[in-house]
Amino acid sequence: MPARNDTASAAGFILIPLVGIALFLLLFFWATYLYPGGWQADKQAVGFSWMHNYWCNLLNERAMNGEQNPARPVALAAMLILCGSLSVFWYYLPLLFLHTNQRADLLLQITGICSMFSAAFIVTAYHDIVIMIASLFGFFALAGTFVGLYRCRLVNLFWFGCSCLLLMAVNNYIYYTKDLLYYLPVIQKVTFVAVLFRIVWMIKAMYARQQAN
């Protein structure tokens, strides 16, 4: 838990997730360039399709066309950097809420970091189980975040977060029901961008609050 009298020194660490997100995006684009090709309905397609390929395709040992996947090491590095960076984000997030409740802050930190730690294992054979575990921890972390945003009257962040939750719900509905599955790769990417944008927004708010102290 960040100490109350150490908020000034924490300001620099708050920006670490921004660096991690930037590195993740760079590595992600690099991985799409390296991906040999293939997607669910067209195994012989060349290269990465922004319309049809999932993020997970970049993490597989073999591409959908059956070739060895040279994008995997880059995508793995991107995933680990993102999870590590967002763990720092969750650690410092209580600073945005001015430490109004230390127990709630600790629960937010633990569940947020555990969610990121679990997500790092998404590349294993236990992909679906890992998603469930990460989602469970993420649910409690997000619940604590929404409570903090509401109490601190950060209205814009609160409602934008609601739109992100709606996108996540649509992702899960399509994933488990298979309805409109053709559109899921695009919806997945839109959701990912929206969530990252919200995190960057919250980091900016945290940093501004620390600078004002």
Side-chain angles (χ1 to χ4, degrees):
M1 172 83 60
R4 293 171 185 261
N5 60 358
D6 196 32
T7 55
S9 62
F13 290 102
I14 289 171
L15 299 179
I16 288 176
L18 289 182
V19 178
I21 290 171
L23 286 174
F24 165 79
L25 292 174
L26 286 172
L27 291 171
F28 176 82
F29 283 108
W30 184 16
T32 62
Y33 176 76
L34 295 173
Y35 184 74
W39 53 281
Q40 281 73 10
D42 186 359
K43 298 292 196 322
Q44 303 308 314
V46 177
F48 183 84
S49 170
W50 290 88
M51 288 289 294
H52 304 299
N53 281 109
Y54 295 96
W55 159 247
C56 293
N57 295 148
L58 299 175
L59 295 163
N60 294 334
E61 291 186 8
R62 291 194 172 274
M64 294 292 291
N65 64 5
E67 295 181 23
Q68 195 71 25
N69 182 17
R72 176 178 163 85
V74 178
L76 279 172
M79 188 70 181
L80 292 174
I81 288 172
L82 184 66
C83 290
S85 301
L86 295 188
S87 294
V88 176
F89 165 77
W90 285 110
Y91 179 79
Y92 283 104
L93 184 58
L95 294 175
L96 182 60
F97 308 137
L98 303 176
H99 300 295
T100 52
N101 186 318
Q102 289 192 0
R103 288 184 179 179
D105 289 350
L106 184 60
L107 180 62
L108 179 64
Q109 290 173 317
I110 291 173
T111 53
I113 292 172
C114 285
S115 178
M116 292 300 99
F117 179 79
S118 302
F121 292 91
I122 200 172
V123 298
T124 67
Y126 304 100
H127 176 272
D128 291 347
I129 297 175
V130 167
I131 288 179
M132 290 179 63
I133 294 172
S135 297
L136 180 61
F137 282 119
F139 171 80
F140 289 104
L142 286 174
T145 301
F146 276 99
V147 170
L149 292 173
Y150 182 80
R151 286 180 176 174
C152 293
R153 299 181 182 180
L154 296 168
V155 179
N156 291 334
L157 275 169
F158 179 88
W159 288 113
F160 188 77
C162 290
S163 67
C164 290
L165 276 183
L166 179 61
L167 282 170
M168 286 186 235
V170 171
N171 273 267
N172 280 284
Y173 172 80
I174 295 175
Y175 181 78
Y176 288 108
T177 65
K178 310 304 179 186
D179 290 340
L180 304 173
L181 192 62
Y182 179 84
Y183 302 101
L184 185 56
V186 174
I187 296 172
Q188 181 194 65
K189 295 178 185 70
V190 171
T191 303
F192 210 60
V193 170
V195 170
L196 288 180
F197 176 79
R198 179 172 179 256
I199 290 171
V200 170
W201 188 356
M202 293 177 75
I203 292 169
K204 181 181 176 182
M206 272 191 284
Y207 185 77
R209 182 155 286 183
Q210 289 305 106
Q211 292 293 89
N213 289 337

